[in-house]
Amino acid sequence: MITGAEIVWECLIREDVEVVFGYPGGANLPIYDALVKYKDRIHHVLTRHEQNAAHAADGFARASGKVGVCMATSGPGATNLITGVATAMMDSIPLVCITGQVGRESLGSDAFQETDILGAMIPLTKHSYQVNDINKLAATIKDAFYIARTGRPGPVLIDIPKDVQNETTEFLYPETHDVLPGYNPVIRASENELEEVAKLINAAKNPVILAGHGVLLSGATYELTTLAEKADIPVAVTLLGIGGIPASHPKCIGFMGMHGGYWVNHAIQEADLLIACGMRFDDRVTGKLETYSPNSKKIHIDIDPTELNKNIIVDVGIRGDLKAVLTAALPKIKEATHDAWTHQIKGWMKQSKTKDILNRKSDKLYGAFVVRDLWEATKGEALMVTDVGQHQMTVAQYYYQDHANSLLTSGGLGTMGYGLPAAIGASFAGRKKNIWAVVGDGGIQMTIQELATAVQENANINIALINNGYLGMVRQWQEMFYDNRYSETPISGPDYLKLTEAYGLKGYRVTERKDVISAVLEAQAHDGPTLIEFVVEPMEMVYPMVATGSALNEMVQRPLAEEQFADMEI
C-alpha cells in the first residue's frame, strides 16, 4: 500500500520522466514530501514562479521530444500556470501539469487557495482531469501522458485534492490506455486522397511547400526534403517550422509571413499549388485571407481535422500524420524540374538583397548585427531559444537553422517572458548543448527571477539580451501606424551587470559590433550561465513587414535611404 502522493512519483518514473519543474505549496505538500523518496530517480527544478515552471517544461519538451512535466499548488499556484499552459496549447507542446487541490470536503466552499482550475483550464488544455478516487489515479496519469503525446500534442491537467494525495491503496500501473470516447488520432491517408495529392503535384508548374511545426512534431524532415528534391519544389517555412528542412538546403527558400522574406511571400502569392504540411494558416502567415495566394490549388495535410478548411478553404484536405502521409504519397510523385519557377524566385530574392540591413555597413550596433554575429560565432550549431518581439523575428530571419528542433519560441500565443525559463528547461534535454536565449529588455524583466534558477542548476545557457530601451515591436507598430506616439513603450531596466553579479552569474556588456563575437566566444567558454547585454540602437525596425489587413505580397520593405540608416553605405 502506498499513498496517492507516492503513486504520482511511481507513475512518472514508469513514464520515464527524469526531470520535473515546479513549486510547492499547501495543497501539494504530500506530493513534495513523497519526492524525498524519489530524488535519486527524478530531479526537481524549483523555478521561482509557477508560470516559468510551465515554460521550462515546455522548453524541455520541445528540445527533447518528450513530455514535459510541471507542478503547482492550488489557487494562485495553479492559476499562475495558465499562461505557460496556454503557450504550450497554442504551439502543440506535450505537457502533463499536476496541481494540488483543497481536500474533497472543501471543494466548492471557497476554501483558502481554492480555485476551479479544472474549469479554468478546460479551454486551454487538450484534456483536464480532477482525480477524486485514489483508485483511478494511476490510470489517469497513464492516460494523461498518452493524450499529451499522441495525435496533435498538447498539455493535459491532472488536479489532485490533498486528501487523495494522503490516502493509500495498492499500486498497479495499467498496461493499456483507457482511451477517451471519440479520441482516435487518424494516422494514414486513404488511397483516393493520395491519388488526389499526386495528381495536383504532378500537374503543378509553380508549386510551393509550406512547412509548419507538424514537420518537426511528426519527424517528417526526411520525407519532406525527399518530396522537395524529387518534384523540385521550393520549401517555405513558418516560424515554428524553421528547422523542418535545413536552411542551407537548396530547396529551402526561407521564412514566410508577416516578417518573412520578400521573395518567399511573392512565391506563395504567385504559386499555382500550395502543399501545406503540418501548419495552420495562422494570420501571421497568410496576411489578408481574401487575397491569399489567389490562383493556387491547395493541399493541406494535418493531424488535427479541425485545422482543415478552418482559415483557408483547400482543394484536398487530409487528416493524418504527416510522416505517414508523405511516405505513402512519395511513390506516386513523378520526378520533375521547375527551372523557370526557381529562376523567378531567385530574381525576387536578388531584388530584396539591396534592402537587407546585413548588406549595409554601419558603426552602430543593431540587433540584426548581433544575431548574425551570434550565428557566425556559434557556427549555426546552437540551440536557440527566443522571447517575443523584434529580436524573435530577427533570429528567424538571420540565425539559419540546419537542424530540427533547434529554435524554441512562442509562436502562437506570443508570450513575452518565455525565453529564459524555456532555455533553462531545454538545458535538461542536453546538458552539454550550446544553448542561447535571445531576449529583449522587456521580455526578460517579466521572468528575470529565473536567473536564480539558472544559477542554482548551473544551467548550460547563455543569454543574449538585446537592450534597446523600448518594447521594440510595439514601438515599431506605434511608429508605423500610430504617428510615432510612443505610448508606454520606452522602458527602463536595472544595471544588468550589477544584476548578474547579484544573482551570481557571469555578465558582460557590449556596445560596439567589433566586440560581439569575442564576447560570445568568451561566454561560451565559461562553465555556467552567462548574460551578455547588447546595448543596441533604440529605433531599429524589423523589415520587411506585412501590415495587418494587407495582402502577403504588399510588404513594406526597408527604405533604401531611411533616416536611421543615413550613415550606412548601401
Side-chain angles (χ1 to χ4, degrees), residues 204-208 231-234 251 253 263 266-267 270-272 336-349:
K205 302 298 182 185
N206 301 328
V208 175
D232 192 26
I233 305 175
K251 300 316 299 176
I253 59 174
W263 63 96
H266 272 266
E270 296 298 324
D272 67 351
T337 56
H338 300 292
D339 293 340
W341 180 227
T342 301
H343 181 74
Q344 185 170 0
I345 294 172
K346 286 182 178 178
W348 287 322
M349 183 185 297

Side-chain angles (χ1 to χ4, degrees), residues 210-450:
L210 310 178
H213 194 198
V215 178
L216 301 171
L217 293 171
S218 177
T221 291
Y222 171 79
E223 291 74 15
L224 183 97
T225 305
T226 302
L227 172 62
E229 292 172 346
K230 186 175 183 180
D232 192 26
I233 305 175
V235 181
V237 297
T238 68
L239 176 62
L240 294 184
I242 289 176
I245 181 172
S248 59
H249 192 285
K251 300 316 299 176
C252 180
I253 59 174
F255 173 49
M256 70 176 90
M258 179 174 280
H259 292 287
Y262 169 87
W263 63 96
V264 182
N265 287 349
H266 272 266
I268 292 170
Q269 289 299 92
E270 296 298 324
D272 67 351
L273 176 66
L274 297 181
I275 308 159
C277 297
M279 53 89 70
R280 57 188 178 88
F281 292 109
D282 173 85
D283 61 295
R284 288 296 194 265
V285 160
T286 63
K288 186 178 181 181
L289 286 174
E290 292 80 4
T291 59
Y292 181 68
S293 191
N295 300 315
S296 65
K297 298 282 187 181
K298 298 174 182 70
I299 299 169
H300 191 185
I301 307 167
D302 202 283
I303 192 75
D304 185 349
T306 66
E307 293 296 344
L308 303 178
N309 296 309
K310 184 176 80 175
N311 295 326
I312 295 291
I313 303 300
V314 299
D315 298 275
V316 180
I318 296 180
R319 176 192 182 187
D321 174 73
L322 183 64
K323 184 182 180 73
V325 173
L326 291 182
T327 299
L330 277 170
K332 302 178 184 296
I333 307 300
K334 297 177 182 176
E335 291 191 9
T337 56
H338 300 292
D339 293 340
W341 180 227
T342 301
H343 181 74
Q344 185 170 0
I345 294 172
K346 286 182 178 178
W348 287 322
M349 183 185 297
K350 188 177 180 181
Q351 284 180 31
S352 69
K353 286 299 182 185
T354 56
K355 298 184 177 181
D356 192 326
I357 188 172
L358 295 185
N359 291 327
R360 301 181 180 187
K361 295 181 180 178
S362 174
D363 293 331
K364 294 180 179 178
L365 185 59
Y366 291 94
F369 293 169
V370 172
V371 171
R372 174 44 64 100
D373 289 353
L374 184 58
W375 176 74
E376 291 184 1
T378 59
K379 300 178 181 178
E381 294 292 325
L383 172 63
M384 301 295 290
V385 188
T386 81
D387 222 288
V388 170
Q390 286 182 314
H391 67 275
Q392 179 190 33
M393 295 298 104
T394 305
V395 169
Q397 292 174 332
Y398 297 124
Y399 196 101
Y400 300 149
Q401 296 284 357
D402 275 346
H403 305 292
N405 302 311
S406 52
L407 171 61
L408 315 184
T409 190
S410 172
L413 199 64
T415 306
M416 288 179 65
Y418 170 85
L420 174 57
I424 293 171
S427 73
F428 286 90
R431 298 298 280 175
K432 293 184 179 179
K433 284 185 178 178
N434 185 16
I435 299 173
W436 280 88
V438 181
V439 300
D441 50 325
I444 196 172
Q445 292 191 72
M446 290 189 171
T447 54
I448 202 165
Q449 67 271 39
E450 299 307 328

Side-chain angles (χ1 to χ4, degrees), residues 448-453 455-456 498-505:
I448 202 165
Q449 67 271 39
E450 299 307 328
L451 290 176
T453 308
V455 171
Q456 181 171 301
K498 290 181 178 177
L499 192 74
T500 55
E501 182 180 359
Y503 274 112
L505 72 160

Side-chain angles (χ1 to χ4, degrees), residues 373 509-520 532 534:
D373 289 353
R509 177 176 290 137
V510 173
T511 59
E512 298 183 56
R513 186 173 187 183
K514 65 181 179 59
D515 298 327
V516 172
I517 290 182
S518 59
V520 169
I532 307 175
F534 295 101

